[in-house]
Amino acid sequence: NYLDYIESVAVFARDTRDTPMGELRVVTPEEIATYSQIAQKGTLSMYRDLAKKSTEQKIRDGIMVYTREFLFPHAMKAGLWDKWVAEGFDTLHPNTEAAWPTLASPKAAEILTPVLLFGGGFPPVSD
């Protein structure tokens, strides 16, 4: 276990989403302690909320993470995000809704993994 051999670490942060890599700053131990407490409370709250959701809603939420949240920073940088959202990016396509019983079944992982992780589920970007 390599963790037993770590002697020191550094944590870096951006002050804004667009902070260039050359302007990252070292996070102080006090900041780490503060953010750790906030993250622990937030994580507990998130898991309480997740436990209340149906399997179907958890799957829908997962699809949003893999499509929306992973693409967001890249689309913003390319100037496409607002256009995509205005064109219905957050709305599931009728074909997806029609396939929902399969997507919400135990076969979801074997179907969605190659589609979402290997790019087969995203339309080509032409502009």
Side-chain angles (χ1 to χ4, degrees):
N1 184 346
Y2 68 90
L3 293 176
D4 294 338
Y5 300 96
I6 293 177
E7 295 180 12
S8 64
V9 298
V11 177
F12 296 88
R14 296 173 185 239
D15 289 318
T16 67
R17 179 181 301 277
D18 295 330
T19 299
M21 291 296 289
E23 295 177 23
L24 296 181
R25 63 179 179 77
V26 176
V27 178
T28 67
E30 295 78 23
E31 283 181 286
I32 292 172
T34 298
Y35 291 133
S36 292
Q37 288 178 346
I38 292 168
Q40 286 173 353
K41 289 178 185 176
T43 300
L44 288 174
S45 176
M46 177 189 71
Y47 280 112
R48 279 189 208 101
D49 290 344
L50 287 174
K52 297 174 190 173
K53 293 183 177 191
S54 68
T55 299
E56 180 176 324
Q57 188 58 52
K58 289 176 190 174
I59 294 169
R60 285 181 184 264
D61 290 352
I63 290 170
M64 291 301 284
V65 167
Y66 283 104
T67 56
R68 185 182 217 285
E69 304 307 321
F70 284 5
L71 289 175
F72 174 76
H74 308 292
M76 281 293 289
K77 198 75 163 168
L80 293 171
W81 186 252
D82 293 334
K83 177 182 181 223
W84 287 0
V85 171
E87 291 175 354
F89 185 83
D90 290 331
T91 303
L92 291 180
H93 189 276
N95 290 346
T96 303
E97 292 288 357
W100 195 256
T102 302
L103 297 175
S105 76
K107 291 190 167 278
E110 75 182 66
I111 293 168
L112 293 176
T113 300
V115 169
L116 297 175
L117 295 183
F118 302 123
F122 302 107
V125 176
S126 60
D127 55 349

mmCIF file of all heavy atoms in Angstrom, residues 72-112:
data_model
loop_
_atom_site.group_PDB
_atom_site.id
_atom_site.type_symbol
_atom_site.label_atom_id
_atom_site.label_comp_id
_atom_site.label_asym_id
_atom_site.label_seq_id
_atom_site.Cartn_x
_atom_site.Cartn_y
_atom_site.Cartn_z
ATOM 1 N N PHE A 72 -19.737 20.143 -19.235
ATOM 2 C CA PHE A 72 -19.937 21.556 -18.918
ATOM 3 C C PHE A 72 -18.673 22.404 -19.037
ATOM 4 O O PHE A 72 -18.677 23.410 -19.759
ATOM 5 C CB PHE A 72 -20.556 21.704 -17.522
ATOM 6 C CG PHE A 72 -20.651 23.123 -17.060
ATOM 7 C CD1 PHE A 72 -21.629 23.968 -17.570
ATOM 8 C CD2 PHE A 72 -19.756 23.633 -16.134
ATOM 9 C CE1 PHE A 72 -21.717 25.291 -17.147
ATOM 10 C CE2 PHE A 72 -19.835 24.947 -15.713
ATOM 11 C CZ PHE A 72 -20.819 25.776 -16.221
ATOM 12 N N PRO A 73 -17.571 22.075 -18.361
ATOM 13 C CA PRO A 73 -16.418 22.985 -18.437
ATOM 14 C C PRO A 73 -15.847 23.110 -19.845
ATOM 15 O O PRO A 73 -15.408 24.203 -20.248
ATOM 16 C CB PRO A 73 -15.385 22.374 -17.477
ATOM 17 C CG PRO A 73 -15.845 20.993 -17.206
ATOM 18 C CD PRO A 73 -17.313 20.943 -17.489
ATOM 19 N N HIS A 74 -15.887 22.039 -20.617
ATOM 20 C CA HIS A 74 -15.361 22.082 -21.978
ATOM 21 C C HIS A 74 -16.278 22.893 -22.896
ATOM 22 O O HIS A 74 -15.809 23.683 -23.716
ATOM 23 C CB HIS A 74 -15.180 20.661 -22.516
ATOM 24 C CG HIS A 74 -14.382 19.805 -21.590
ATOM 25 N ND1 HIS A 74 -13.041 20.007 -21.343
ATOM 26 C CD2 HIS A 74 -14.753 18.759 -20.813
ATOM 27 C CE1 HIS A 74 -12.618 19.112 -20.470
ATOM 28 N NE2 HIS A 74 -13.631 18.350 -20.134
ATOM 29 N N ALA A 75 -17.584 22.677 -22.747
ATOM 30 C CA ALA A 75 -18.535 23.416 -23.571
ATOM 31 C C ALA A 75 -18.522 24.906 -23.228
ATOM 32 O O ALA A 75 -18.656 25.751 -24.114
ATOM 33 C CB ALA A 75 -19.936 22.839 -23.403
ATOM 34 N N MET A 76 -18.357 25.229 -21.950
ATOM 35 C CA MET A 76 -18.263 26.639 -21.551
ATOM 36 C C MET A 76 -17.047 27.280 -22.207
ATOM 37 O O MET A 76 -17.134 28.373 -22.760
ATOM 38 C CB MET A 76 -18.160 26.777 -20.027
ATOM 39 C CG MET A 76 -19.475 26.636 -19.308
ATOM 40 S SD MET A 76 -20.618 27.989 -19.647
ATOM 41 C CE MET A 76 -19.838 29.320 -18.759
ATOM 42 N N LYS A 77 -15.920 26.598 -22.128
ATOM 43 C CA LYS A 77 -14.675 27.138 -22.702
ATOM 44 C C LYS A 77 -14.815 27.338 -24.212
ATOM 45 O O LYS A 77 -14.281 28.293 -24.766
ATOM 46 C CB LYS A 77 -13.536 26.168 -22.388
ATOM 47 C CG LYS A 77 -12.175 26.742 -22.528
ATOM 48 C CD LYS A 77 -11.865 27.643 -21.365
ATOM 49 C CE LYS A 77 -10.387 27.898 -21.260
ATOM 50 N NZ LYS A 77 -10.111 28.965 -20.348
ATOM 51 N N ALA A 78 -15.548 26.448 -24.864
ATOM 52 C CA ALA A 78 -15.739 26.539 -26.316
ATOM 53 C C ALA A 78 -16.856 27.512 -26.695
ATOM 54 O O ALA A 78 -17.099 27.747 -27.877
ATOM 55 C CB ALA A 78 -16.048 25.156 -26.889
ATOM 56 N N GLY A 79 -17.555 28.060 -25.683
ATOM 57 C CA GLY A 79 -18.628 29.004 -25.963
ATOM 58 C C GLY A 79 -19.911 28.357 -26.462
ATOM 59 O O GLY A 79 -20.744 29.019 -27.070
ATOM 60 N N LEU A 80 -20.072 27.061 -26.191
ATOM 61 C CA LEU A 80 -21.244 26.331 -26.696
ATOM 62 C C LEU A 80 -22.302 26.051 -25.634
ATOM 63 O O LEU A 80 -23.419 25.683 -25.975
ATOM 64 C CB LEU A 80 -20.795 24.992 -27.293
ATOM 65 C CG LEU A 80 -19.945 25.078 -28.542
ATOM 66 C CD1 LEU A 80 -19.378 23.702 -28.893
ATOM 67 C CD2 LEU A 80 -20.766 25.635 -29.686
ATOM 68 N N TRP A 81 -21.981 26.184 -24.363
ATOM 69 C CA TRP A 81 -22.877 25.717 -23.306
ATOM 70 C C TRP A 81 -24.256 26.358 -23.359
ATOM 71 O O TRP A 81 -25.272 25.657 -23.346
ATOM 72 C CB TRP A 81 -22.258 25.917 -21.924
ATOM 73 C CG TRP A 81 -23.124 25.307 -20.876
ATOM 74 C CD1 TRP A 81 -23.897 25.952 -19.965
ATOM 75 C CD2 TRP A 81 -23.345 23.914 -20.669
ATOM 76 N NE1 TRP A 81 -24.580 25.050 -19.192
ATOM 77 C CE2 TRP A 81 -24.251 23.795 -19.609
ATOM 78 C CE3 TRP A 81 -22.868 22.761 -21.271
ATOM 79 C CZ2 TRP A 81 -24.690 22.564 -19.138
ATOM 80 C CZ3 TRP A 81 -23.302 21.534 -20.797
ATOM 81 C CH2 TRP A 81 -24.204 21.448 -19.738
ATOM 82 N N ASP A 82 -24.328 27.680 -23.395
ATOM 83 C CA ASP A 82 -25.628 28.353 -23.388
ATOM 84 C C ASP A 82 -26.468 27.943 -24.592
ATOM 85 O O ASP A 82 -27.684 27.744 -24.478
ATOM 86 C CB ASP A 82 -25.453 29.876 -23.346
ATOM 87 C CG ASP A 82 -24.860 30.342 -22.018
ATOM 88 O OD1 ASP A 82 -25.029 29.642 -21.010
ATOM 89 O OD2 ASP A 82 -24.220 31.410 -22.007
ATOM 90 N N LYS A 83 -25.828 27.789 -25.737
ATOM 91 C CA LYS A 83 -26.535 27.360 -26.945
ATOM 92 C C LYS A 83 -27.102 25.956 -26.750
ATOM 93 O O LYS A 83 -28.258 25.690 -27.078
ATOM 94 C CB LYS A 83 -25.574 27.389 -28.134
ATOM 95 C CG LYS A 83 -26.181 26.888 -29.421
ATOM 96 C CD LYS A 83 -25.154 26.898 -30.550
ATOM 97 C CE LYS A 83 -25.807 26.407 -31.817
ATOM 98 N NZ LYS A 83 -25.020 25.500 -32.565
ATOM 99 N N TRP A 84 -26.291 25.050 -26.221
ATOM 100 C CA TRP A 84 -26.754 23.669 -26.019
ATOM 101 C C TRP A 84 -27.943 23.623 -25.072
ATOM 102 O O TRP A 84 -28.918 22.916 -25.324
ATOM 103 C CB TRP A 84 -25.627 22.813 -25.467
ATOM 104 C CG TRP A 84 -24.561 22.480 -26.461
ATOM 105 C CD1 TRP A 84 -24.471 22.831 -27.775
ATOM 106 C CD2 TRP A 84 -23.401 21.695 -26.200
ATOM 107 N NE1 TRP A 84 -23.333 22.324 -28.347
ATOM 108 C CE2 TRP A 84 -22.654 21.625 -27.402
ATOM 109 C CE3 TRP A 84 -22.900 21.058 -25.073
ATOM 110 C CZ2 TRP A 84 -21.464 20.924 -27.497
ATOM 111 C CZ3 TRP A 84 -21.708 20.368 -25.170
ATOM 112 C CH2 TRP A 84 -20.997 20.302 -26.371
ATOM 113 N N VAL A 85 -27.856 24.359 -23.978
ATOM 114 C CA VAL A 85 -28.955 24.358 -23.007
ATOM 115 C C VAL A 85 -30.215 24.943 -23.641
ATOM 116 O O VAL A 85 -31.308 24.396 -23.487
ATOM 117 C CB VAL A 85 -28.555 25.105 -21.717
ATOM 118 C CG1 VAL A 85 -29.755 25.293 -20.799
ATOM 119 C CG2 VAL A 85 -27.442 24.344 -20.989
ATOM 120 N N ALA A 86 -30.064 26.034 -24.382
ATOM 121 C CA ALA A 86 -31.214 26.648 -25.052
ATOM 122 C C ALA A 86 -31.850 25.710 -26.068
ATOM 123 O O ALA A 86 -33.059 25.764 -26.306
ATOM 124 C CB ALA A 86 -30.782 27.948 -25.738
ATOM 125 N N GLU A 87 -31.036 24.830 -26.654
ATOM 126 C CA GLU A 87 -31.544 23.878 -27.649
ATOM 127 C C GLU A 87 -32.075 22.594 -27.020
ATOM 128 O O GLU A 87 -32.411 21.653 -27.730
ATOM 129 C CB GLU A 87 -30.438 23.558 -28.656
ATOM 130 C CG GLU A 87 -30.084 24.733 -29.544
ATOM 131 C CD GLU A 87 -28.911 24.447 -30.465
ATOM 132 O OE1 GLU A 87 -28.270 23.373 -30.355
ATOM 133 O OE2 GLU A 87 -28.613 25.313 -31.315
ATOM 134 N N GLY A 88 -32.131 22.538 -25.685
ATOM 135 C CA GLY A 88 -32.723 21.381 -25.026
ATOM 136 C C GLY A 88 -31.751 20.321 -24.549
ATOM 137 O O GLY A 88 -32.140 19.165 -24.347
ATOM 138 N N PHE A 89 -30.521 20.694 -24.318
ATOM 139 C CA PHE A 89 -29.501 19.723 -23.890
ATOM 140 C C PHE A 89 -29.928 18.936 -22.653
ATOM 141 O O PHE A 89 -29.617 17.765 -22.529
ATOM 142 C CB PHE A 89 -28.181 20.455 -23.620
ATOM 143 C CG PHE A 89 -27.036 19.546 -23.286
ATOM 144 C CD1 PHE A 89 -26.314 18.931 -24.296
ATOM 145 C CD2 PHE A 89 -26.679 19.294 -21.978
ATOM 146 C CE1 PHE A 89 -25.247 18.086 -24.009
ATOM 147 C CE2 PHE A 89 -25.611 18.453 -21.672
ATOM 148 C CZ PHE A 89 -24.903 17.857 -22.702
ATOM 149 N N ASP A 90 -30.642 19.578 -21.731
ATOM 150 C CA ASP A 90 -31.029 18.927 -20.479
ATOM 151 C C ASP A 90 -32.304 18.086 -20.590
ATOM 152 O O ASP A 90 -32.746 17.504 -19.610
ATOM 153 C CB ASP A 90 -31.221 19.982 -19.384
ATOM 154 C CG ASP A 90 -29.909 20.606 -18.970
ATOM 155 O OD1 ASP A 90 -28.869 19.938 -19.053
ATOM 156 O OD2 ASP A 90 -29.916 21.774 -18.550
ATOM 157 N N THR A 91 -32.886 18.032 -21.762
ATOM 158 C CA THR A 91 -34.112 17.258 -21.954
ATOM 159 C C THR A 91 -33.757 15.925 -22.610
ATOM 160 O O THR A 91 -33.067 15.894 -23.627
ATOM 161 C CB THR A 91 -35.092 18.032 -22.871
ATOM 162 O OG1 THR A 91 -35.340 19.304 -22.282
ATOM 163 C CG2 THR A 91 -36.389 17.269 -23.050
ATOM 164 N N LEU A 92 -34.227 14.846 -22.006
ATOM 165 C CA LEU A 92 -33.953 13.543 -22.597
ATOM 166 C C LEU A 92 -34.674 13.424 -23.939
ATOM 167 O O LEU A 92 -35.840 13.778 -24.075
ATOM 168 C CB LEU A 92 -34.400 12.418 -21.667
ATOM 169 C CG LEU A 92 -33.599 12.258 -20.374
ATOM 170 C CD1 LEU A 92 -34.160 11.098 -19.548
ATOM 171 C CD2 LEU A 92 -32.134 12.044 -20.637
ATOM 172 N N HIS A 93 -33.985 12.928 -24.913
ATOM 173 C CA HIS A 93 -34.514 12.736 -26.263
ATOM 174 C C HIS A 93 -35.657 11.711 -26.204
ATOM 175 O O HIS A 93 -35.630 10.779 -25.384
ATOM 176 C CB HIS A 93 -33.386 12.217 -27.166
ATOM 177 C CG HIS A 93 -33.741 12.184 -28.605
ATOM 178 N ND1 HIS A 93 -34.431 11.139 -29.162
ATOM 179 C CD2 HIS A 93 -33.494 13.072 -29.601
ATOM 180 C CE1 HIS A 93 -34.599 11.380 -30.452
ATOM 181 N NE2 HIS A 93 -34.030 12.542 -30.737
ATOM 182 N N PRO A 94 -36.667 11.851 -27.070
ATOM 183 C CA PRO A 94 -37.769 10.884 -27.084
ATOM 184 C C PRO A 94 -37.296 9.430 -27.237
ATOM 185 O O PRO A 94 -37.893 8.519 -26.654
ATOM 186 C CB PRO A 94 -38.617 11.318 -28.278
ATOM 187 C CG PRO A 94 -38.357 12.789 -28.398
ATOM 188 C CD PRO A 94 -36.915 12.971 -27.997
ATOM 189 N N ASN A 95 -36.232 9.197 -27.993
ATOM 190 C CA ASN A 95 -35.711 7.826 -28.121
ATOM 191 C C ASN A 95 -35.187 7.310 -26.789
ATOM 192 O O ASN A 95 -35.308 6.124 -26.471
ATOM 193 C CB ASN A 95 -34.602 7.758 -29.173
ATOM 194 C CG ASN A 95 -35.115 7.946 -30.579
ATOM 195 O OD1 ASN A 95 -36.322 7.871 -30.834
ATOM 196 N ND2 ASN A 95 -34.215 8.230 -31.501
ATOM 197 N N THR A 96 -34.589 8.199 -26.014
ATOM 198 C CA THR A 96 -34.107 7.817 -24.684
ATOM 199 C C THR A 96 -35.286 7.475 -23.790
ATOM 200 O O THR A 96 -35.263 6.475 -23.065
ATOM 201 C CB THR A 96 -33.272 8.952 -24.058
ATOM 202 O OG1 THR A 96 -32.203 9.275 -24.935
ATOM 203 C CG2 THR A 96 -32.734 8.547 -22.701
ATOM 204 N N GLU A 97 -36.319 8.308 -23.836
ATOM 205 C CA GLU A 97 -37.518 8.031 -23.030
ATOM 206 C C GLU A 97 -38.137 6.695 -23.436
ATOM 207 O O GLU A 97 -38.560 5.914 -22.582
ATOM 208 C CB GLU A 97 -38.538 9.165 -23.180
ATOM 209 C CG GLU A 97 -38.112 10.476 -22.570
ATOM 210 C CD GLU A 97 -38.117 10.497 -21.044
ATOM 211 O OE1 GLU A 97 -38.502 9.502 -20.392
ATOM 212 O OE2 GLU A 97 -37.717 11.537 -20.499
ATOM 213 N N ALA A 98 -38.154 6.409 -24.741
ATOM 214 C CA ALA A 98 -38.719 5.137 -25.216
ATOM 215 C C ALA A 98 -37.887 3.958 -24.747
ATOM 216 O O ALA A 98 -38.414 2.870 -24.483
ATOM 217 C CB ALA A 98 -38.821 5.143 -26.738
ATOM 218 N N ALA A 99 -36.583 4.163 -24.625
ATOM 219 C CA ALA A 99 -35.684 3.084 -24.184
ATOM 220 C C ALA A 99 -35.579 3.007 -22.674
ATOM 221 O O ALA A 99 -34.867 2.143 -22.148
ATOM 222 C CB ALA A 99 -34.298 3.299 -24.793
ATOM 223 N N TRP A 100 -36.284 3.870 -21.980
ATOM 224 C CA TRP A 100 -36.115 3.980 -20.533
ATOM 225 C C TRP A 100 -36.280 2.666 -19.778
ATOM 226 O O TRP A 100 -35.490 2.377 -18.868
ATOM 227 C CB TRP A 100 -37.030 5.053 -19.952
ATOM 228 C CG TRP A 100 -36.562 5.366 -18.567
ATOM 229 C CD1 TRP A 100 -37.123 4.973 -17.402
ATOM 230 C CD2 TRP A 100 -35.370 6.055 -18.223
ATOM 231 N NE1 TRP A 100 -36.372 5.385 -16.340
ATOM 232 C CE2 TRP A 100 -35.277 6.060 -16.830
ATOM 233 C CE3 TRP A 100 -34.359 6.671 -18.955
ATOM 234 C CZ2 TRP A 100 -34.241 6.666 -16.141
ATOM 235 C CZ3 TRP A 100 -33.324 7.274 -18.277
ATOM 236 C CH2 TRP A 100 -33.269 7.255 -16.890
ATOM 237 N N PRO A 101 -37.261 1.823 -20.090
ATOM 238 C CA PRO A 101 -37.369 0.574 -19.333
ATOM 239 C C PRO A 101 -36.079 -0.253 -19.361
ATOM 240 O O PRO A 101 -35.692 -0.847 -18.356
ATOM 241 C CB PRO A 101 -38.526 -0.161 -20.022
ATOM 242 C CG PRO A 101 -39.363 0.938 -20.591
ATOM 243 C CD PRO A 101 -38.372 1.986 -21.033
ATOM 244 N N THR A 102 -35.387 -0.252 -20.494
ATOM 245 C CA THR A 102 -34.116 -0.972 -20.579
ATOM 246 C C THR A 102 -33.030 -0.223 -19.827
ATOM 247 O O THR A 102 -32.228 -0.824 -19.104
ATOM 248 C CB THR A 102 -33.688 -1.148 -22.053
ATOM 249 O OG1 THR A 102 -34.728 -1.853 -22.740
ATOM 250 C CG2 THR A 102 -32.379 -1.907 -22.160
ATOM 251 N N LEU A 103 -33.001 1.096 -19.968
ATOM 252 C CA LEU A 103 -31.981 1.898 -19.303
ATOM 253 C C LEU A 103 -32.097 1.845 -17.785
ATOM 254 O O LEU A 103 -31.110 2.012 -17.075
ATOM 255 C CB LEU A 103 -32.053 3.348 -19.774
ATOM 256 C CG LEU A 103 -31.768 3.587 -21.252
ATOM 257 C CD1 LEU A 103 -31.997 5.047 -21.598
ATOM 258 C CD2 LEU A 103 -30.356 3.151 -21.604
ATOM 259 N N ALA A 104 -33.299 1.626 -17.289
ATOM 260 C CA ALA A 104 -33.513 1.565 -15.843
ATOM 261 C C ALA A 104 -33.481 0.128 -15.329
ATOM 262 O O ALA A 104 -33.758 -0.119 -14.164
ATOM 263 C CB ALA A 104 -34.841 2.233 -15.487
ATOM 264 N N SER A 105 -33.135 -0.806 -16.183
ATOM 265 C CA SER A 105 -33.102 -2.219 -15.789
ATOM 266 C C SER A 105 -31.705 -2.603 -15.316
ATOM 267 O O SER A 105 -30.767 -1.816 -15.406
ATOM 268 C CB SER A 105 -33.481 -3.086 -17.001
ATOM 269 O OG SER A 105 -32.385 -3.160 -17.902
ATOM 270 N N PRO A 106 -31.552 -3.838 -14.854
ATOM 271 C CA PRO A 106 -30.212 -4.294 -14.462
ATOM 272 C C PRO A 106 -29.201 -4.277 -15.612
ATOM 273 O O PRO A 106 -28.004 -4.334 -15.388
ATOM 274 C CB PRO A 106 -30.462 -5.724 -13.972
ATOM 275 C CG PRO A 106 -31.882 -5.712 -13.503
ATOM 276 C CD PRO A 106 -32.591 -4.789 -14.460
ATOM 277 N N LYS A 107 -29.653 -4.173 -16.853
ATOM 278 C CA LYS A 107 -28.742 -4.121 -17.999
ATOM 279 C C LYS A 107 -28.165 -2.722 -18.230
ATOM 280 O O LYS A 107 -27.333 -2.523 -19.125
ATOM 281 C CB LYS A 107 -29.457 -4.591 -19.265
ATOM 282 C CG LYS A 107 -29.776 -6.065 -19.275
ATOM 283 C CD LYS A 107 -30.253 -6.444 -20.660
ATOM 284 C CE LYS A 107 -30.277 -7.932 -20.821
ATOM 285 N NZ LYS A 107 -28.992 -8.498 -21.141
ATOM 286 N N ALA A 108 -28.593 -1.754 -17.444
ATOM 287 C CA ALA A 108 -28.176 -0.363 -17.666
ATOM 288 C C ALA A 108 -26.661 -0.207 -17.704
ATOM 289 O O ALA A 108 -26.137 0.473 -18.587
ATOM 290 C CB ALA A 108 -28.771 0.537 -16.591
ATOM 291 N N ALA A 109 -25.956 -0.825 -16.783
ATOM 292 C CA ALA A 109 -24.499 -0.637 -16.730
ATOM 293 C C ALA A 109 -23.817 -1.140 -17.994
ATOM 294 O O ALA A 109 -22.943 -0.467 -18.542
ATOM 295 C CB ALA A 109 -23.917 -1.323 -15.500
ATOM 296 N N GLU A 110 -24.232 -2.289 -18.489
ATOM 297 C CA GLU A 110 -23.572 -2.817 -19.690
ATOM 298 C C GLU A 110 -23.927 -2.018 -20.939
ATOM 299 O O GLU A 110 -23.166 -1.990 -21.896
ATOM 300 C CB GLU A 110 -23.865 -4.303 -19.882
ATOM 301 C CG GLU A 110 -25.242 -4.639 -20.393
ATOM 302 C CD GLU A 110 -25.480 -6.144 -20.511
ATOM 303 O OE1 GLU A 110 -25.500 -6.818 -19.478
ATOM 304 O OE2 GLU A 110 -25.653 -6.600 -21.657
ATOM 305 N N ILE A 111 -25.076 -1.341 -20.919
ATOM 306 C CA ILE A 111 -25.478 -0.530 -22.063
ATOM 307 C C ILE A 111 -24.882 0.876 -21.977
ATOM 308 O O ILE A 111 -24.329 1.390 -22.940
ATOM 309 C CB ILE A 111 -27.021 -0.444 -22.148
ATOM 310 C CG1 ILE A 111 -27.599 -1.818 -22.470
ATOM 311 C CG2 ILE A 111 -27.463 0.586 -23.175
ATOM 312 C CD1 ILE A 111 -29.091 -1.914 -22.292
ATOM 313 N N LEU A 112 -24.985 1.491 -20.800
ATOM 314 C CA LEU A 112 -24.589 2.885 -20.668
ATOM 315 C C LEU A 112 -23.079 3.110 -20.578
ATOM 316 O O LEU A 112 -22.591 4.145 -21.001
ATOM 317 C CB LEU A 112 -25.267 3.506 -19.445
ATOM 318 C CG LEU A 112 -26.782 3.647 -19.573
ATOM 319 C CD1 LEU A 112 -27.370 4.189 -18.281
ATOM 320 C CD2 LEU A 112 -27.156 4.528 -20.742
#
